Amino acid sequence: MRTQVVIIGSGPAGLLLGQLLTNAGIDNVILERSSKTHVLSRIRAGVLEEGTAQMLDEAGVGARMRQEGLPHDGFDLAFDHRRHRVDLRGLTGGKRVLVYGQTEVTHDLMDGREASGAISVYEARDVQPHDFNAANPSVTYEKDGQTHRIDCDFIAGCDGFHGVSRQAVPNNAIETFERTYPFGWLGIIADVPPVGSELIYANHPRGFALCSMRSTTRSRYYVQVAADENVEKWSDERFWDEIRLRLPRQTAEAMTTGPSIEKSIAPLRSFVAEPMRFGRLFLAGDAAHIVPPTGAKGLNLAASDVRYLFDAFREYYLENESSGLDAYSAKALARVWKAERFSWWMTSTMHRFPDQGAFGQKIQHAELDYLFQSRAALTMLAENYVGLPL
Ligand code: FAS
Ligand code: PHB
Protein backbone atom coordinates (compact mmCIF):
# COMPACT_ATOMS: atom_id res chain seq x y z
CA MET A 1 0.00 0.00 0.00
CA ARG A 2 1.18 3.60 -0.59
CA THR A 3 0.00 6.95 0.77
CA GLN A 4 1.43 10.46 1.04
CA VAL A 5 1.44 10.83 4.87
CA VAL A 6 1.24 8.04 7.47
CA ILE A 7 -0.01 9.37 10.82
CA ILE A 8 0.86 7.26 13.88
CA GLY A 9 -1.72 7.85 16.63
CA SER A 10 -5.44 8.60 16.65
CA GLY A 11 -5.52 11.13 19.49
CA PRO A 12 -6.39 14.81 18.94
CA ALA A 13 -3.11 15.57 17.11
CA GLY A 14 -3.36 12.64 14.68
CA LEU A 15 -7.06 13.03 14.02
CA LEU A 16 -6.90 16.81 13.50
CA LEU A 17 -3.91 16.50 11.14
CA GLY A 18 -5.67 13.69 9.26
CA GLN A 19 -8.87 15.71 8.85
CA LEU A 20 -7.07 18.80 7.54
CA LEU A 21 -4.91 16.75 5.13
CA THR A 22 -7.94 14.85 3.80
CA ASN A 23 -9.90 18.07 3.29
CA ALA A 24 -6.91 19.45 1.33
CA GLY A 25 -6.82 16.34 -0.89
CA ILE A 26 -3.59 15.02 0.65
CA ASP A 27 -3.78 11.25 1.05
CA ASN A 28 -3.11 9.92 4.56
CA VAL A 29 -3.58 6.82 6.73
CA ILE A 30 -3.89 6.81 10.54
CA LEU A 31 -2.48 3.83 12.47
CA GLU A 32 -3.67 3.51 16.09
CA ARG A 33 -2.63 0.77 18.49
CA SER A 34 -5.75 0.94 20.68
CA SER A 35 -9.41 0.40 19.86
CA LYS A 36 -11.64 3.39 19.14
CA THR A 37 -13.50 2.68 22.38
CA HIS A 38 -10.29 2.80 24.40
CA VAL A 39 -9.18 6.07 22.81
CA LEU A 40 -12.57 7.60 23.65
CA SER A 41 -12.49 6.23 27.21
CA ARG A 42 -9.54 8.43 28.22
CA ILE A 43 -10.67 11.46 30.27
CA ARG A 44 -8.26 14.34 29.67
CA ALA A 45 -8.33 18.01 28.81
CA GLY A 46 -11.16 20.43 29.18
CA VAL A 47 -10.19 23.91 27.93
CA LEU A 48 -9.76 24.95 24.28
CA GLU A 49 -7.97 28.11 23.16
CA GLU A 50 -9.85 30.02 20.44
CA GLY A 51 -7.09 29.08 17.97
CA THR A 52 -7.77 25.39 18.63
CA ALA A 53 -11.53 25.90 18.28
CA GLN A 54 -11.00 27.70 14.96
CA MET A 55 -8.94 24.76 13.68
CA LEU A 56 -11.79 22.39 14.51
CA ASP A 57 -14.12 24.74 12.56
CA GLU A 58 -11.63 24.73 9.65
CA ALA A 59 -11.51 20.92 9.79
CA GLY A 60 -15.31 20.91 9.42
CA VAL A 61 -15.98 19.30 12.82
CA GLY A 62 -16.73 22.35 15.00
CA ALA A 63 -20.55 22.43 14.90
CA ARG A 64 -21.25 20.47 18.15
CA MET A 65 -18.39 22.26 19.92
CA ARG A 66 -19.89 25.65 19.04
CA GLN A 67 -23.32 24.43 20.14
CA GLU A 68 -22.38 22.63 23.39
CA GLY A 69 -19.06 24.25 24.35
CA LEU A 70 -19.15 26.81 27.17
CA PRO A 71 -17.41 30.13 26.34
CA HIS A 72 -15.60 31.43 29.44
CA ASP A 73 -14.54 35.07 29.84
CA GLY A 74 -12.49 34.49 32.98
CA PHE A 75 -11.59 32.19 35.86
CA ASP A 76 -10.81 32.51 39.58
CA LEU A 77 -7.61 32.01 41.56
CA ALA A 78 -8.43 31.18 45.18
CA PHE A 79 -5.93 31.83 47.99
CA ASP A 80 -6.09 33.24 51.53
CA HIS A 81 -9.72 32.03 51.82
CA ARG A 82 -10.81 34.30 48.93
CA ARG A 83 -11.46 34.06 45.20
CA HIS A 84 -9.85 36.58 42.82
CA ARG A 85 -11.16 36.76 39.26
CA VAL A 86 -8.89 36.86 36.22
CA ASP A 87 -10.88 38.83 33.63
CA LEU A 88 -9.57 37.16 30.46
CA ARG A 89 -11.81 39.15 28.14
CA GLY A 90 -10.99 42.52 29.71
CA LEU A 91 -7.25 41.86 29.93
CA THR A 92 -6.78 40.46 26.41
CA GLY A 93 -9.00 42.77 24.37
CA GLY A 94 -11.92 40.35 24.10
CA LYS A 95 -10.33 36.89 23.98
CA ARG A 96 -11.91 33.95 25.82
CA VAL A 97 -11.58 30.16 26.10
CA LEU A 98 -14.07 27.40 25.34
CA VAL A 99 -14.79 24.67 27.89
CA TYR A 100 -15.35 21.49 25.85
CA GLY A 101 -13.90 18.11 26.87
CA GLN A 102 -11.11 16.42 24.89
CA THR A 103 -13.28 13.31 24.73
CA GLU A 104 -15.88 15.30 22.76
CA VAL A 105 -13.18 16.80 20.52
CA THR A 106 -11.92 13.28 19.78
CA HIS A 107 -15.46 12.06 19.13
CA ASP A 108 -16.14 14.90 16.67
CA LEU A 109 -12.85 14.28 14.86
CA MET A 110 -13.50 10.53 14.63
CA ASP A 111 -16.97 11.20 13.20
CA GLY A 112 -15.44 13.59 10.65
CA ARG A 113 -12.80 11.01 9.71
CA GLU A 114 -15.43 8.34 9.22
CA ALA A 115 -17.54 10.66 7.05
CA SER A 116 -14.50 11.51 4.91
CA GLY A 117 -13.84 7.84 4.12
CA ALA A 118 -10.12 8.27 4.91
CA ILE A 119 -8.41 5.11 6.19
CA SER A 120 -7.79 4.61 9.93
CA VAL A 121 -6.50 1.27 11.21
CA TYR A 122 -7.34 0.64 14.89
CA GLU A 123 -5.72 -2.05 17.02
CA ALA A 124 -2.66 -1.87 14.75
CA ARG A 125 0.04 -3.72 16.67
CA ASP A 126 3.81 -3.19 16.64
CA VAL A 127 3.67 -0.07 14.46
CA GLN A 128 7.22 0.72 13.31
CA PRO A 129 8.51 3.68 11.23
CA HIS A 130 11.32 2.81 8.79
CA ASP A 131 13.90 4.70 6.66
CA PHE A 132 12.64 8.13 7.65
CA ASN A 133 16.10 9.57 6.99
CA ALA A 134 15.88 8.37 3.39
CA ALA A 135 13.65 9.45 0.50
CA ASN A 136 11.40 6.40 0.76
CA PRO A 137 10.13 5.96 4.31
CA SER A 138 7.60 3.28 5.24
CA VAL A 139 5.64 2.07 8.25
CA THR A 140 4.90 -1.54 9.15
CA TYR A 141 2.32 -2.91 11.56
CA GLU A 142 0.66 -6.18 12.58
CA LYS A 143 -3.09 -6.74 12.16
CA ASP A 144 -5.16 -9.94 11.98
CA GLY A 145 -2.00 -12.04 12.20
CA GLN A 146 -0.41 -10.38 9.17
CA THR A 147 2.42 -7.86 8.75
CA HIS A 148 1.40 -4.85 6.67
CA ARG A 149 3.67 -2.24 5.07
CA ILE A 150 2.71 1.26 3.91
CA ASP A 151 5.15 3.21 1.70
CA CYS A 152 4.82 6.97 2.08
CA ASP A 153 6.42 10.38 1.56
CA PHE A 154 6.27 11.43 5.24
CA ILE A 155 5.48 10.04 8.71
CA ALA A 156 3.70 12.16 11.36
CA GLY A 157 4.46 10.83 14.86
CA CYS A 158 1.30 11.80 16.77
CA ASP A 159 1.55 8.85 19.16
CA GLY A 160 1.84 10.60 22.50
CA PHE A 161 4.45 10.49 25.26
CA HIS A 162 4.73 6.70 25.30
CA GLY A 163 4.59 6.30 21.52
CA VAL A 164 7.01 4.58 19.17
CA SER A 165 7.96 7.56 16.97
CA ARG A 166 10.26 9.44 19.35
CA GLN A 167 11.71 6.10 20.49
CA ALA A 168 12.64 5.31 16.86
CA VAL A 169 15.02 8.28 16.72
CA PRO A 170 18.68 7.46 17.48
CA ASN A 171 19.76 8.86 20.87
CA ASN A 172 22.50 10.97 19.29
CA ALA A 173 19.94 12.76 17.09
CA ILE A 174 17.60 13.96 19.85
CA GLU A 175 17.94 16.01 23.05
CA THR A 176 15.34 15.89 25.83
CA PHE A 177 14.58 18.32 28.65
CA GLU A 178 12.50 17.16 31.63
CA ARG A 179 11.21 18.19 35.01
CA THR A 180 9.03 15.84 37.04
CA TYR A 181 6.88 17.19 39.88
CA PRO A 182 6.64 15.59 43.36
CA PHE A 183 2.87 15.29 43.10
CA GLY A 184 0.02 14.22 40.80
CA TRP A 185 -3.59 15.23 40.19
CA LEU A 186 -6.40 13.03 41.47
CA GLY A 187 -9.34 13.85 39.20
CA ILE A 188 -12.99 12.86 39.29
CA ILE A 189 -15.95 13.37 37.00
CA ALA A 190 -19.44 13.52 38.58
CA ASP A 191 -22.85 14.30 37.14
CA VAL A 192 -23.45 17.23 39.49
CA PRO A 193 -23.73 20.93 38.61
CA PRO A 194 -20.38 22.75 38.79
CA VAL A 195 -19.77 24.79 41.95
CA GLY A 196 -19.26 27.95 39.88
CA SER A 197 -19.94 29.26 36.39
CA GLU A 198 -16.18 29.52 35.71
CA LEU A 199 -13.08 27.50 36.69
CA ILE A 200 -11.51 27.92 40.14
CA TYR A 201 -7.77 27.18 40.67
CA ALA A 202 -7.03 27.02 44.42
CA ASN A 203 -3.69 27.44 46.23
CA HIS A 204 -4.15 26.04 49.76
CA PRO A 205 -1.75 24.88 52.52
CA ARG A 206 -3.24 21.37 52.12
CA GLY A 207 -2.48 21.44 48.39
CA PHE A 208 -3.79 22.56 45.01
CA ALA A 209 -7.39 22.03 43.89
CA LEU A 210 -9.19 22.78 40.62
CA CYS A 211 -12.92 23.09 40.03
CA SER A 212 -13.70 22.59 36.35
CA MET A 213 -16.59 21.23 34.33
CA ARG A 214 -17.72 19.45 31.16
CA SER A 215 -21.20 21.01 31.00
CA THR A 216 -23.68 22.74 33.32
CA THR A 217 -24.62 19.31 34.70
CA ARG A 218 -21.26 17.51 34.70
CA SER A 219 -18.31 18.61 36.91
CA ARG A 220 -14.60 17.83 36.68
CA TYR A 221 -12.63 18.29 39.93
CA TYR A 222 -8.98 17.71 40.87
CA VAL A 223 -6.91 17.71 44.06
CA GLN A 224 -3.13 17.55 44.29
CA VAL A 225 -1.93 14.24 45.78
CA ALA A 226 1.48 12.65 46.41
CA ALA A 227 3.17 11.40 43.23
CA ASP A 228 2.91 7.78 44.46
CA GLU A 229 -0.69 8.08 45.75
CA ASN A 230 -3.01 5.10 45.21
CA VAL A 231 -6.45 6.02 43.82
CA GLU A 232 -7.94 3.01 45.69
CA LYS A 233 -7.36 4.91 48.93
CA TRP A 234 -9.74 7.68 47.82
CA SER A 235 -13.42 7.04 48.37
CA ASP A 236 -15.79 9.61 46.86
CA GLU A 237 -16.53 10.86 50.36
CA ARG A 238 -12.83 11.39 51.11
CA PHE A 239 -12.43 13.28 47.83
CA TRP A 240 -15.39 15.60 48.46
CA ASP A 241 -14.24 16.32 52.03
CA GLU A 242 -10.73 17.11 50.87
CA ILE A 243 -11.58 19.40 47.97
CA ARG A 244 -13.98 21.39 50.16
CA LEU A 245 -11.22 21.87 52.76
CA ARG A 246 -9.08 23.49 50.03
CA LEU A 247 -11.70 26.00 48.87
CA PRO A 248 -12.97 29.24 50.43
CA ARG A 249 -15.78 28.40 52.89
CA GLN A 250 -18.64 29.88 50.86
CA THR A 251 -17.56 27.97 47.76
CA ALA A 252 -17.17 24.73 49.71
CA GLU A 253 -20.64 25.12 51.21
CA ALA A 254 -22.14 25.71 47.76
CA MET A 255 -20.61 22.54 46.27
CA THR A 256 -22.98 19.79 45.10
CA THR A 257 -21.44 16.35 45.63
CA GLY A 258 -22.42 13.00 44.17
CA PRO A 259 -21.07 9.63 42.97
CA SER A 260 -17.97 9.80 40.74
CA ILE A 261 -18.28 8.25 37.27
CA GLU A 262 -14.52 8.40 36.70
CA LYS A 263 -11.63 8.70 39.16
CA SER A 264 -7.91 8.58 38.26
CA ILE A 265 -4.51 10.03 39.07
CA ALA A 266 -2.40 11.76 36.41
CA PRO A 267 1.33 12.31 36.94
CA LEU A 268 2.72 15.80 36.28
CA ARG A 269 5.80 16.46 34.22
CA SER A 270 7.36 19.05 31.91
CA PHE A 271 9.09 17.47 28.92
CA VAL A 272 10.42 18.63 25.55
CA ALA A 273 12.25 16.70 22.83
CA GLU A 274 14.34 18.66 20.35
CA PRO A 275 14.23 18.82 17.39
CA MET A 276 10.72 17.78 16.28
CA ARG A 277 11.81 16.71 12.80
CA PHE A 278 14.04 13.83 11.75
CA GLY A 279 14.30 13.65 7.97
CA ARG A 280 10.81 12.63 6.83
CA LEU A 281 9.53 11.92 10.37
CA PHE A 282 7.77 14.82 12.15
CA LEU A 283 6.67 14.71 15.81
CA ALA A 284 3.53 16.56 16.93
CA GLY A 285 1.70 16.85 20.25
CA ASP A 286 2.55 14.78 23.31
CA ALA A 287 4.99 12.72 21.21
CA ALA A 288 7.29 15.75 21.39
CA HIS A 289 6.32 17.56 24.59
CA ILE A 290 4.35 17.31 27.83
CA VAL A 291 3.15 20.12 30.09
CA PRO A 292 1.62 19.88 33.58
CA PRO A 293 -2.15 20.44 33.03
CA THR A 294 -2.22 23.49 35.35
CA GLY A 295 -2.06 25.87 32.39
CA ALA A 296 -4.56 23.88 30.24
CA LYS A 297 -1.98 23.83 27.42
CA GLY A 298 -1.44 20.15 26.49
CA LEU A 299 -4.24 19.69 24.01
CA ASN A 300 -3.82 23.25 22.69
CA LEU A 301 -0.10 22.73 22.00
CA ALA A 302 -0.96 19.59 20.04
CA ALA A 303 -3.28 21.76 17.94
CA SER A 304 -0.66 24.45 17.28
CA ASP A 305 1.89 21.81 16.22
CA VAL A 306 -0.73 20.50 13.79
CA ARG A 307 -1.35 24.04 12.51
CA TYR A 308 2.29 24.43 11.55
CA LEU A 309 2.72 20.88 10.24
CA PHE A 310 -0.44 20.90 8.12
CA ASP A 311 0.44 24.31 6.61
CA ALA A 312 3.88 22.93 5.74
CA PHE A 313 2.48 19.75 4.12
CA ARG A 314 -0.09 21.78 2.17
CA GLU A 315 2.66 24.14 0.90
CA TYR A 316 4.81 21.12 -0.08
CA TYR A 317 2.10 19.27 -1.98
CA LEU A 318 0.10 22.15 -3.44
CA GLU A 319 2.88 24.72 -4.04
CA ASN A 320 5.91 22.40 -4.35
CA GLU A 321 7.65 24.41 -1.63
CA SER A 322 9.47 22.76 1.32
CA SER A 323 10.49 25.81 3.38
CA GLY A 324 7.57 25.20 5.77
CA LEU A 325 8.74 21.65 6.46
CA ASP A 326 12.28 22.92 7.02
CA ALA A 327 11.01 25.60 9.46
CA TYR A 328 8.50 23.38 11.31
CA SER A 329 10.62 22.26 14.25
CA ALA A 330 11.98 25.69 15.19
CA LYS A 331 8.58 27.34 14.74
CA ALA A 332 6.73 24.73 16.84
CA LEU A 333 9.39 24.69 19.57
CA ALA A 334 9.30 28.49 19.94
CA ARG A 335 5.63 28.23 20.94
CA VAL A 336 6.12 24.99 22.90
CA TRP A 337 8.74 26.52 25.19
CA LYS A 338 6.56 29.55 25.97
CA ALA A 339 3.72 27.19 26.94
CA GLU A 340 6.18 25.10 28.97
CA ARG A 341 7.23 28.24 30.83
CA PHE A 342 3.63 29.26 31.56
CA SER A 343 2.59 25.76 32.65
CA TRP A 344 5.66 25.49 34.91
CA TRP A 345 4.94 28.95 36.38
CA MET A 346 1.25 28.16 37.05
CA THR A 347 2.23 24.82 38.61
CA SER A 348 4.99 26.38 40.76
CA THR A 349 2.67 29.17 41.92
CA MET A 350 -0.37 27.06 42.74
CA HIS A 351 0.94 23.81 44.27
CA ARG A 352 2.45 22.85 47.62
CA PHE A 353 5.98 21.49 47.17
CA PRO A 354 7.26 19.17 49.92
CA ASP A 355 10.62 20.99 50.10
CA GLN A 356 9.38 24.53 49.55
CA GLY A 357 9.77 25.63 53.16
CA ALA A 358 8.55 28.84 54.79
CA PHE A 359 10.54 31.07 52.40
CA GLY A 360 9.06 29.30 49.39
CA GLN A 361 5.55 29.74 50.71
CA LYS A 362 6.18 33.45 51.27
CA ILE A 363 7.45 33.82 47.70
CA GLN A 364 4.38 31.99 46.36
CA HIS A 365 2.11 34.26 48.35
CA ALA A 366 3.95 37.39 47.15
CA GLU A 367 3.56 36.15 43.55
CA LEU A 368 -0.22 35.78 43.98
CA ASP A 369 -0.52 39.08 45.87
CA TYR A 370 1.44 40.91 43.13
CA LEU A 371 -0.77 39.44 40.38
CA PHE A 372 -3.82 41.23 41.70
CA GLN A 373 -2.00 44.51 42.32
CA SER A 374 -0.46 44.74 38.83
CA ARG A 375 -2.46 44.86 35.60
CA ALA A 376 0.75 44.04 33.75
CA ALA A 377 1.26 40.86 35.80
CA LEU A 378 -2.37 39.78 35.43
CA THR A 379 -2.22 40.51 31.70
CA MET A 380 0.77 38.14 31.41
CA LEU A 381 -1.31 35.41 33.01
CA ALA A 382 -4.38 36.13 30.89
CA GLU A 383 -2.61 36.33 27.52
CA ASN A 384 -0.87 33.01 28.15
CA TYR A 385 -4.04 31.32 29.35
CA VAL A 386 -6.11 32.33 26.27
CA GLY A 387 -3.18 31.22 24.09
CA LEU A 388 -0.26 33.15 22.60
CA PRO A 389 -0.54 34.05 18.91
CA LEU A 390 0.04 31.16 16.48
P1 FAS B 1 -2.45 11.45 22.83
O1 FAS B 1 -1.62 10.77 23.88
O2 FAS B 1 -3.79 11.99 23.18
O3 FAS B 1 -2.72 10.44 21.61
C1 FAS B 1 -1.69 9.59 21.14
C2 FAS B 1 -2.35 8.39 20.49
O4 FAS B 1 -1.32 7.56 19.95
C3 FAS B 1 -3.13 7.52 21.49
O5 FAS B 1 -4.41 7.25 20.99
C4 FAS B 1 -2.29 6.26 21.62
O6 FAS B 1 -3.06 5.11 21.84
C5 FAS B 1 -1.60 6.21 20.27
N1 FAS B 1 -0.33 5.46 20.28
C6 FAS B 1 0.61 5.45 21.25
N2 FAS B 1 1.62 4.63 20.90
C7 FAS B 1 1.30 4.10 19.68
C8 FAS B 1 1.93 3.18 18.81
N3 FAS B 1 3.10 2.64 19.12
N4 FAS B 1 1.31 2.87 17.63
C9 FAS B 1 0.12 3.45 17.30
N5 FAS B 1 -0.54 4.31 18.10
C10 FAS B 1 0.05 4.63 19.27
N6 FAS B 1 -4.13 18.48 28.77
C11 FAS B 1 -4.84 19.57 29.13
O7 FAS B 1 -4.77 20.58 28.43
N7 FAS B 1 -5.62 19.54 30.27
C12 FAS B 1 -5.73 18.40 31.04
O8 FAS B 1 -6.42 18.39 32.06
C13 FAS B 1 -5.03 17.25 30.68
N8 FAS B 1 -5.13 16.08 31.42
C14 FAS B 1 -4.40 14.98 31.04
C15 FAS B 1 -4.46 13.76 31.78
C16 FAS B 1 -3.70 12.64 31.38
C17 FAS B 1 -3.78 11.35 32.18
C18 FAS B 1 -2.85 12.73 30.26
C19 FAS B 1 -1.99 11.54 29.84
C20 FAS B 1 -2.79 13.92 29.52
C21 FAS B 1 -3.56 15.04 29.91
N9 FAS B 1 -3.53 16.24 29.19
C22 FAS B 1 -4.23 17.33 29.53
C23 FAS B 1 -2.74 16.35 28.02
C24 FAS B 1 -3.51 15.70 26.90
O9 FAS B 1 -4.75 16.32 26.76
C25 FAS B 1 -2.63 15.76 25.69
O10 FAS B 1 -2.01 17.03 25.56
C26 FAS B 1 -3.34 15.41 24.42
O11 FAS B 1 -3.94 14.15 24.59
C27 FAS B 1 -2.30 15.40 23.30
O12 FAS B 1 -2.83 14.78 22.22
P2 FAS B 1 -1.92 13.83 21.29
O13 FAS B 1 -0.64 14.52 21.03
O14 FAS B 1 -2.81 13.43 20.17
O15 FAS B 1 -1.53 12.59 22.20
C1 PHB C 1 -10.19 20.04 32.89
O1 PHB C 1 -11.36 20.48 32.83
O2 PHB C 1 -9.93 18.82 32.80
C2 PHB C 1 -9.05 21.01 33.09
C3 PHB C 1 -9.29 22.37 32.99
C4 PHB C 1 -8.23 23.26 33.16
C5 PHB C 1 -6.97 22.77 33.43
C6 PHB C 1 -6.73 21.39 33.52
C7 PHB C 1 -7.78 20.51 33.35
O3 PHB C 1 -5.93 23.64 33.61
Side-chain angles (χ1 to χ4, degrees):
M1 181 184 190
R2 163 165 260 288
T3 189
Q4 289 171 303
V5 181
V6 170
I7 299 169
I8 303 177
S10 177
L15 285 164
L16 181 55
L17 178 61
Q19 196 64 15
L20 292 169
L21 289 173
T22 302
N23 292 349
I26 299 168
D27 199 38
N28 65 93
V29 173
I30 293 180
L31 299 176
E32 165 60 52
R33 73 174 169 192
S34 305
S35 66
K36 248 188 181 180
T37 309
H38 180 77
V39 174
L40 286 170
S41 70
R42 291 189 296 238
I43 307 291
R44 290 196 175 163
V47 173
L48 304 184
E49 295 171 6
E50 183 53 30
T52 302
Q54 287 171 6
M55 285 183 70
L56 293 166
D57 290 333
E58 179 184 336
V61 298
R64 190 163 73 101
M65 169 194 69
R66 292 298 182 187
Q67 192 180 357
E68 297 177 14
L70 304 171
H72 279 204
D73 293 344
F75 65 88
D76 283 357
L77 290 185
F79 60 96
D80 284 353
H81 312 292
R82 280 188 53 214
R83 286 162 57 173
H84 307 259
R85 187 163 186 269
V86 181
D87 174 13
L88 295 174
R89 208 168 165 77
L91 290 160
T92 63
K95 291 184 183 175
R96 50 195 348 193
V97 293
L98 196 64
V99 170
Y100 188 67
Q102 175 172 326
T103 307
E104 308 319 315
V105 171
T106 306
H107 227 298
D108 297 340
L109 283 164
M110 283 182 174
D111 290 350
R113 179 92 180 160
E114 203 154 318
S116 75
I119 299 171
S120 294
V121 180
Y122 286 91
E123 297 178 275
R125 300 286 177 216
D126 192 22
V127 175
Q128 291 294 338
H130 303 282
D131 304 320
F132 46 82
N133 280 314
N136 52 347
S138 63
V139 180
T140 55
Y141 65 94
E142 305 291 325
K143 177 91 178 168
D144 303 330
Q146 285 194 322
T147 300
H148 302 263
R149 172 187 160 127
I150 306 178
D151 294 312
C152 54
D153 299 334
F154 300 104
I155 303 167
C158 301
D159 46 351
F161 184 68
H162 301 289
V164 66
S165 301
R166 194 180 69 248
Q167 310 299 339
V169 176
N171 286 337
N172 62 4
I174 192 167
E175 188 176 5
T176 60
F177 307 82
E178 182 160 15
R179 170 160 297 186
T180 53
Y181 297 90
F183 40 73
W185 280 16
L186 165 61
I188 70 159
I189 288 218
D191 279 333
V192 292
V195 71
S197 57
E198 296 178 331
L199 273 60
I200 305 168
Y201 292 79
N203 171 307
H204 188 276
R206 294 176 68 90
F208 169 81
L210 170 60
C211 303
S212 183
M213 62 194 76
R214 289 293 178 269
S215 70
T216 54
T217 59
R218 176 166 286 191
S219 296
R220 175 66 159 156
Y221 291 115
Y222 298 93
V223 293
Q224 169 188 345
V225 293
D228 59 357
E229 183 61 293
N230 179 346
V231 68
E232 303 303 321
K233 289 165 58 180
W234 285 81
S235 66
D236 287 359
E237 190 184 2
R238 183 183 176 193
F239 181 91
W240 292 119
D241 289 346
E242 185 59 38
I243 193 165
R244 284 180 292 189
L245 286 173
R246 300 186 185 186
L247 295 168
R249 189 172 45 78
Q250 263 188 316
T251 306
E253 287 170 356
M255 183 170 274
T256 307
T257 65
S260 62
I261 56 176
E262 198 275 343
K263 196 188 301 178
S264 57
I265 294 177
L268 268 64
R269 70 162 55 88
S270 298
F271 174 87
V272 180
E274 290 190 4
M276 290 171 57
R277 175 200 188 170
F278 309 90
R280 289 178 172 260
L281 169 65
F282 294 82
L283 301 183
D286 278 17
H289 42 72
I290 296 283
V291 284
T294 327
K297 290 297 144 213
L299 174 56
N300 294 295
L301 269 185
S304 52
D305 289 349
V306 168
R307 172 80 278 162
Y308 301 142
L309 189 53
F310 166 66
D311 289 347
F313 279 139
R314 178 176 51 189
E315 187 187 57
Y316 175 84
Y317 282 111
L318 307 188
E319 299 162 27
N320 197 23
E321 171 59 60
S322 59
S323 59
L325 290 173
D326 297 340
Y328 166 72
S329 181
K331 189 170 185 180
L333 283 167
R335 194 169 196 276
V336 164
W337 275 112
K338 293 186 188 74
E340 289 284 346
R341 181 209 68 83
F342 175 65
S343 305
W344 162 83
W345 175 82
M346 274 286 274
T347 303
S348 304
T349 304
M350 295 305 291
H351 289 73
R352 272 288 171 277
F353 287 71
D355 60 352
Q356 105 186 80
F359 178 80
Q361 284 180 29
K362 284 290 187 185
I363 291 296
Q364 228 181 37
H365 192 274
E367 186 84 46
L368 289 163
D369 213 16
Y370 173 57
L371 269 180
F372 292 93
Q373 290 176 357
S374 158
R375 186 176 174 82
L378 209 52
T379 303
M380 177 283 288
L381 196 173
E383 67 182 14
N384 278 276
Y385 195 87
V386 298
L388 296 178
L390 280 170

